[in-house]
Amino acid sequence: MFAERLGYIVWFSDFKAARGLDKYGSLHYLSRKMNYAVLYMNADSAEEALRHLQKLPYVRKIERSYRGEIKTEYEKNVPDKTRFYSL
């Protein structure tokens, strides 16, 4: 139903030029202070887009985001200790 999406962190040197990264995927966030962008793209076209991104003069480094692979369902195995601290 939905295409698999991959997230990438793109470190750049020029903020104005980095606003054009939306041509390569969905631009989720741009950090002006730390000079990075969070970019999501379809998994089937990711390799080709990464090759184009690495050729851009203002891109310093591209890292894969592992946010989708991190477990987000938590279990509470520790007993509740709030009753010991009540008045």
Side-chain angles (χ1 to χ4, degrees):
M1 184 172 160
F2 292 110
E4 185 180 352
R5 307 277 285 170
L6 297 175
Y8 289 95
I9 310 300
V10 181
W11 297 90
F12 55 83
S13 57
D14 185 14
F15 182 79
K16 281 189 175 182
R19 288 186 290 183
L21 289 174
D22 59 351
K23 293 186 279 189
Y24 301 99
S26 299
L27 189 58
H28 181 70
Y29 181 73
L30 272 171
S31 172
R32 183 182 297 264
K33 185 177 181 181
M34 294 183 62
N35 292 334
Y36 75 93
V38 179
L39 187 68
Y40 287 96
M41 59 185 76
N42 291 337
D44 55 352
S45 63
E47 281 187 37
E48 182 181 343
L50 287 177
R51 280 197 306 261
H52 290 289
L53 281 172
Q54 289 173 344
K55 292 179 183 177
L56 295 174
Y58 55 89
V59 172
R60 288 189 286 149
K61 183 170 63 169
I62 301 173
E63 297 177 0
R64 172 96 156 63
S65 172
Y66 295 104
R67 183 170 187 239
E69 300 169 11
I70 296 174
K71 181 181 167 187
T72 57
E73 297 174 4
Y74 305 106
E75 298 175 3
K76 187 174 181 180
N77 293 335
V78 179
D80 188 20
K81 294 185 179 181
T82 56
R83 64 186 174 107
F84 296 118
Y85 301 110
S86 62
L87 296 174

